[in-house]
Each structure stands twice: as structure tokens, then as C-alpha cells.
Amino acid sequence: MIGKLKKILMGDQAYSETAEDSEQREQLALASLLVEMARADFDESKQEHLAIIDLLSRHFELQPQEAMQLLERARASSDRAVCLFDFTRALHECLDSSQRQNVIRLLWQVAMSDNKLERYEDHLVRKVADLLYVPDSDVMRIRNEVIESNLGSKT
């Protein structure tokens, strides 16, 4: 009983057990947050998965196949997660302020991969930003940059 209560209060740390080192924990935590973003609007699309694979490939300098495997591990990890805290805690412990802002940028990029921003996606980014201690002014600035970048890539 106490073990179950502790697991609920502390979050499901099972995702970290599958990671061999801090770099893998960082990769899995970030990928899991991106999966949560894809699921935030209750419409987890192939387009969002492709965006996540591309972002993970570029961000961690992975081959597409490695990024796809990371995405699958992240989907399983996200399925088991009780809350976002484990993922954000893992990132907060190993990233500086600039790197945490980059996490917010990646979340916005996934949210905007279908060219529409749902309120649930906006809420999730703000929630993650709060847990990562990224100021709201930076969150809004980054959102506007991502939106402008998406509009610029269409012209």
C-alpha cells in the first residue's frame, strides 16, 4: 500500500530504468514530452510522429532509425507515466536555462507541425514550462518565433 502511494506521489520512474546513462535519460525524457505533445489534442497523427523523429534526429544527432526507436520507447514510457514531473525533473536536473528554452521550442514545433494550435497543446507547453522554470515571457517569444518560422516556410 505504501509502495503504491509512493509511486503515485513520486511519479512513475520506470522510464529511467530503461535508460543506461544520463544522456539516455535526457533523450527519453525529452522524447516522452514530445509524445505527450502529440497526444495533447487527442489526435496523435503520423505527421506529428514524423516531426518528432525529425526533431529528435537533429537535436540529438541521431540517425532516423535511432530516432524512430527512441520515439517507440518514449511512447511506451509515456503510456506508463503517471505525470509529467519525472520527465521534467530529469530535464531540469541536466539542462541549463538555454537548453530548457530549447525544450519549449521543440514542444511548440510539434504542436505546430499540423499548422494549428489547440488549447490543450498550449496548456501542455505552459505546464511543462512551469515545471522547467521557463518564464512565460520566453514561452510566448518562442511560440511566436515558431509560428513565424512555420509561416515563412510556407511562402
Side-chain angles (χ1 to χ4, degrees):
M1 171 84 167
I2 292 177
K4 287 182 182 180
L5 182 59
K6 183 178 177 184
K7 185 175 181 178
I8 290 170
L9 293 175
M10 296 301 290
D12 183 3
Q13 297 179 359
Y15 85 94
S16 63
E17 294 169 5
T18 63
E20 295 175 8
D21 58 30
S22 62
E23 182 180 352
Q24 285 187 352
R25 279 191 293 280
E26 176 190 342
Q27 289 178 356
L28 188 55
L30 176 56
S32 297
L33 287 177
L34 297 180
V35 166
E36 287 296 320
M37 179 54 69
R39 293 176 174 176
D41 62 358
F42 306 102
D43 183 25
E44 189 177 0
S45 70
K46 182 173 177 84
Q47 183 178 7
E48 290 169 320
H49 285 182
L50 293 174
I52 292 171
I53 290 168
D54 180 56
L55 292 170
L56 291 173
S57 294
R58 286 188 283 135
H59 185 74
F60 292 117
E61 298 178 356
L62 301 173
Q63 295 299 316
Q65 185 63 31
E66 293 172 314
M68 193 178 318
Q69 290 171 348
L70 178 57
L71 172 62
E72 290 308 313
R73 286 181 45 225
R75 291 182 75 214
S77 174
S78 187
D79 288 344
R80 290 189 310 270
V82 175
C83 64
L84 299 173
F85 183 71
D86 274 344
F87 304 134
T88 57
R89 180 184 55 203
L91 294 173
H92 189 269
E93 289 174 353
C94 66
L95 302 179
D96 63 26
S97 176
S98 173
Q99 292 168 319
R100 291 193 304 266
Q101 287 179 19
N102 199 36
V103 168
I104 300 304
R105 179 176 310 283
L106 294 171
L107 289 170
W108 281 127
Q109 289 173 326
V110 171
M112 295 303 299
S113 66
D114 59 2
N115 297 314
K116 56 185 174 186
L117 180 61
E118 302 288 339
R119 68 179 183 196
Y120 301 110
E121 294 169 327
D122 185 70
H123 174 74
L124 181 62
V125 173
R126 291 170 186 269
K127 186 175 183 177
V128 170
D130 283 344
L131 292 169
L132 291 177
Y133 300 100
V134 176
D136 197 47
S137 59
D138 290 335
V139 173
M140 295 292 83
R141 176 185 51 78
I142 295 166
R143 182 187 77 171
N144 292 337
E145 290 172 3
V146 169
I147 289 172
E148 286 177 24
S149 174
N150 278 4
L151 291 175
S153 67
K154 292 196 173 19
T155 58

